Each structure stands twice: as structure tokens, then as C-alpha cells.
Amino acid sequence: METTYVALVGMGTVGTGVAQLLLDLGDRTARYAGRSLWINHIAVRDVSKRRQADLPQGVITDQLERILHDPQVTLVAHLVGGIEPARSIMLALLENGKDVVTANKALLAEHGPELFDRARHLGRTIAFEAAVAGGIPIIANIAQCLAANKILSLEGILNGTSNFVVTQMDEGAGTYQQSLETAQQRGFAEEDPTLDIDGTDAAQKLAILAHLAFGVTIRWQDIPRRGIQNLNLEDFRLTQALGYRIKLIAYAKLLDFGLQLMVSPMLVKIGTPLAEVRENYNAIRVVGDAVGPVFFHGQGAGAMPTASAVVADMIDTALGRTKITFHNLKLWSDRESPVKVSDVGKLPGRYYLRLVVHEQPDVLAQIAEILGHHHISVASVNLHDVTQPHDAKVSLVIMTRETREASLMAAVSEISKLPFVAAVAERLKVLD
Ligand code: HSE
């Protein structure tokens, strides 16, 4: 049987999973690949650290050059997080004739055009199935399996940490802070989970998926985004009573006037597949014009799910499949985008609005007048939590009918100035 000699750079959680799959289950990989993938080197920062995989002697090194200058090694799994030195390492691998498989979504979202241009120029490839939604094969599905479709929309739960937290809150297991602590204790959240809970991680993944699905090149920083850090338990309770769960949704929809992109907590109807995605799981619903809706569900992080995607990419690269896809797709090249990204203000949608107001007889009339002025129809109004008989504050929950994001924002701005409005406590789009 033929052998492809490979190397790994980085041996954190994912690197350990990849090494275990290639070493412990090498026969299985060889059967699928029709060749064995043999690890020549694993480059790490600290060679003295204890490793969870049973590695052959002499494989571990802190010298990247051993990989760069080993002519036998043609394929490298690049499993280094962050931007630098991850970017320089990837460039060095490409310059030295190695095809690359990576799990680093932040690097691709930030430097995709530079890295892909370089790879194309050098006749090399970059495969990145593991960069979005871990073990879910969403890249291959969008780029290859759904290639006959015009993608119409894509709605995803792309961050496991934040989905774990909102699941806990939805189930009444704790406040935001308590739920985040549980996520950390159970090993789902990083020690510093900032980029997970503020929507950055999901926006980076959405930028990659939107590029594949719609051909747009968008900086992740330009995707309007809101995280889960300011969500309140009261809204989980109130939205549940209305038949919805709150989920952090990465959203892309092709409309007549352009592509709408955003990352935000949204209301998702209980009983629909996305609403029932629990804990650290990820899911993506894609609608294609030929296929209709398709739904992907699975683990978006963790050693073995992510390693599953990395090793599949290694097999594809060793077999030459990546080369065909990579060069045909022309990802992040200077080709013109077939669609334009539209101003989010035009985004149509229904909204959940929770106002905290001081009770007085004309509260509803004044709010209704402002909404009417902005052509916003109301579907339902509910009052909650009367705390005192006189001069009490109440939560006023309004569900709107379909309007535009910009109209809602303008109305909310006027409503917030009404003297009896103590706070616009929440504003969430309904995922329809
Ligand atoms: N930290 C990410 C998550 C996994 O919680 O989903 C890596 O992308």
C-alpha cells in the first residue's frame, strides 16, 4: 500500500485527536484513503509536555524546520490557533511545498485572501473543513454536494459555548453568569470565552460560510453582530410562554436587494429543528433553490469531532480531491462577487420588544401611535410583573408583525424617549 508522509503543527486538543485517529485507527484511515498516512513529525512549542497520544519515538520536535525541510512530507495538518505565528507558519508550509489542512477559522476569516492567493500561486492547497462547525461536514456540503443550487439562506448555531449557555438559561438552570461557569466547568468554554459569547467566533465562521455559499467576500468585522452576554433570564421565560427559544443565530439570507448577514440572539419557534439544538451542539439549516431545506446537526468543537474533519481533509488532500475543488472554487480570489451585501436596515422581520414602563392610562396608546407612525403593526401585547399597586413598573411585551429593522430601530428610539418608559429592556428578531 502506498504511503503519504504527513506532519502536524500543534498538539493541543485537536492535534491530540488527529494523532490518535492516525495512530490508533490508522488501518481504518488507510482503508478509506487507499493509502496509509504516516506521521513523520509533530511540531510543538514545548517538547517536554506530557502527551495523551502514544507517539512513536522521535516524532515530537520543537523545530518547524524539520517539517519544512523534509522532502517526504507533502501534507501538513496546521493545528495552531490565533493569528500569529499561525499565519507565518502556514505561509512557510506553503512556500516549502506542503499542502495544508487547517482548523483555524480566525486566521482564514482574517487573512483568507492572502493565504489562498499564495497557495494558488504556489500550486498548493488549503483545506479547512474543521474551521467551521467542527465535526459537521458543512464546508464540503456547501462547496461540493450543493453545488447545483443557488443558496437562498443559511441559518446556523455555530458556537457551542454560547449555545450551551443559552440552553442552560432556557431550561432555568442558572443566570447568564452561572451558566457560563457551568460551561467552563464542563470543559465547553475557554478560560477566556470572550470571542465565543460576544458573537465574534460565530461571525468569523459566518464570513467563511457566506463566502462559500454566496461568493461574497466580507470582513467578519463588517457583519452586524451581538452576543449573548446581556441576555436576561426574564426574556427566556417570557419568550417561552410565547412559543420560542432564544438562540444565538448566524444568519445569511439572499433577498431581491442583496444579501443580509447578521449574528444575533433571535427567537426560534419551539419544535423547529434549530430550537431543539441543545448544549454544545451546532447546527446549520441551508436552503437551496433546487434541494429545498437541508439540516446539519452535530458537535461543533472538541478533540475527536474536530479531528474527524481534519483527517477527512487529509485523506481528500492525499487523494488529490482537494486540489480539484480548491482550484475550481477560486476561493478568496479577486473574482467579482455575484451578489452584494445589503444594508441590514432593510432586513424584514418580526420582533419581540420588552419595555419596562411606569403604569399610566395612555401607555399603550402612545406606544401604538409611534409604532403606527413607523408602519409597524402589533401582533400581540402582554403586561407582566406588576410589582406595586401605585406607580408600578411593568414589563410590556410586544410582538410585532413584519417590519424592517430600520423602522423598528427608529420607533424604538422614539419610544425610549417617552417619559413613562424606564427602559427598552430587550429587542430580538424572530427567525422566520
Ligand atoms: N469555541 C468554539 C465554540 C469552538 O464554542 O463553538 C471552536 O470554534
Side-chain angles (χ1 to χ4, degrees):
M1 185 178 278
E2 248 185 272
T3 301
T4 299
Y5 296 93
V6 306
L8 275 57
V9 182
M11 213 192 171
T13 312
V14 180
T16 303
V18 171
Q20 282 171 348
L21 275 185
L22 291 181
L23 294 168
D24 302 348
L25 300 166
D27 290 351
R28 189 172 71 189
T29 306
R31 259 200 319 280
Y32 286 130
R35 66 187 62 215
S36 59
L37 300 186
W38 184 266
I39 303 179
N40 271 12
H41 316 281
I42 301 179
V44 297
R45 255 193 313 227
D46 179 3
V47 285
S48 64
K49 211 164 149 184
R50 272 182 67 84
R51 307 284 160 190
Q52 277 168 8
D54 198 8
L55 302 173
Q57 275 229 316
V59 161
I60 284 276
T61 176
D62 56 5
Q63 303 297 310
L64 181 67
E65 286 68 26
R66 276 185 58 192
I67 296 176
L68 299 180
H69 300 139
D70 182 344
Q72 249 189 346
V73 171
T74 53
L75 163 57
V76 180
H78 168 280
L79 305 170
V80 191
I83 303 298
E84 280 296 355
R87 172 182 155 276
S88 305
I89 292 172
M90 191 180 289
L91 286 169
L93 292 169
L94 295 168
E95 302 287 350
N96 283 274
K98 318 297 180 194
D99 289 323
V100 172
V101 171
T102 188
N104 188 332
K105 108 234 80 184
L107 180 60
L108 296 185
E110 199 81 44
H111 293 288
E114 177 197 16
L115 295 166
F116 280 68
D117 263 354
R118 204 67 205 127
R120 267 189 296 269
H121 179 76
L122 294 163
R124 302 268 55 92
T125 60
I126 301 171
F128 53 100
E129 183 61 73
V132 180
I136 304 176
I138 190 64
I139 302 289
N141 269 284
I142 291 184
Q144 297 164 41
C145 312
L146 298 176
N149 288 262
K150 175 177 174 182
I151 305 292
L152 303 175
S153 68
L154 196 152
E155 295 150 0
I157 292 175
L158 298 180
N159 185 264
T161 305
S162 52
N163 198 49
F164 183 87
V165 171
V166 297
T167 305
Q168 291 285 109
M169 292 176 79
D170 184 66
E171 293 176 356
T175 60
Y176 166 74
Q177 203 50 47
Q178 290 162 338
S179 302
L180 185 57
E181 279 161 25
T182 312
Q184 278 166 325
Q185 281 155 16
R186 296 201 26 203
F188 296 133
E190 316 270 342
E191 222 167 287
D192 178 2
T194 313
L195 302 182
D196 291 311
I197 50 104
D198 76 358
T200 297
D201 178 81
Q204 290 174 336
K205 291 167 177 167
L206 182 62
I208 294 172
L209 290 185
H211 183 66
L212 281 171
F214 304 100
V216 291
T217 300
I218 181 156
R219 283 166 16 106
W220 66 266
Q221 296 91 332
D222 294 334
I223 298 178
R225 70 187 185 283
R226 177 186 158 190
I228 59 162
Q229 62 275 47
N230 297 320
L231 292 176
N232 197 303
L233 269 184
E234 189 173 358
D235 294 298
F236 283 85
R237 190 173 56 80
L238 294 172
T239 53
Q240 246 182 48
L242 292 164
Y244 297 93
R245 298 196 203 292
I246 301 174
K247 293 286 187 190
L248 183 70
I249 299 291
Y251 177 89
K253 190 161 191 154
L254 194 56
L255 297 164
D256 291 345
F257 47 82
L259 180 69
Q260 296 283 336
L261 293 164
M262 70 155 58
V263 170
S264 176
M266 293 186 194
L267 264 56
V268 185
K269 190 88 187 147
I270 290 175
T272 59
L274 275 177
E276 308 311 323
V277 176
R278 295 183 66 252
E279 301 205 319
N280 60 319
Y281 274 72
N282 282 195
I284 303 117
R285 180 178 188 270
V286 183
V287 181
D289 63 349
V291 73
V294 276
F295 191 76
F296 304 89
H297 181 233
Q299 295 190 68
M304 295 321 262
T306 313
S308 153
V310 171
V311 173
D313 268 350
M314 293 175 85
I315 292 174
D316 271 1
T317 303
L319 288 177
R321 280 199 290 249
T322 305
K323 200 176 185 81
I324 299 168
T325 319
F326 187 77
H327 291 287
N328 283 347
L329 278 178
K330 294 193 174 57
L331 292 173
W332 282 292
S333 60
D334 48 15
R335 74 186 164 148
E336 210 184 322
S337 163
V339 296
K340 296 270 168 281
V341 175
S342 157
D343 163 21
V344 81
K346 290 184 182 169
L347 182 62
R350 300 187 296 132
Y351 288 85
Y352 161 92
L353 202 56
R354 180 165 66 85
L355 311 172
V356 179
V357 300
H358 297 276
E359 267 201 303
Q360 64 178 57
D362 60 346
V363 163
L364 280 179
Q366 288 201 43
I367 290 172
E369 190 182 328
I370 293 176
L371 291 173
H373 179 71
H374 289 278
H375 310 286
I376 300 172
S377 302
V378 172
S380 71
V381 180
N382 288 288
L383 292 175
H384 298 271
D385 300 334
V386 178
T387 50
Q388 294 164 36
H390 302 293
D391 193 25
K393 281 196 198 120
V394 299
S395 267
L396 181 64
V397 171
I398 298 173
M399 292 294 286
T400 75
R401 295 199 192 280
E402 185 161 297
T403 177
R404 301 268 173 191
E405 172 96 2
S407 309
L408 189 90
M409 293 299 285
V412 164
S413 163
E414 276 182 45
I415 289 170
S416 68
K417 291 180 192 131
L418 293 170
F420 55 79
V421 173
V424 177
E426 191 49 279
R427 178 185 67 85
L428 294 168
K429 182 177 156 51
V430 179
L431 183 68
D432 282 314

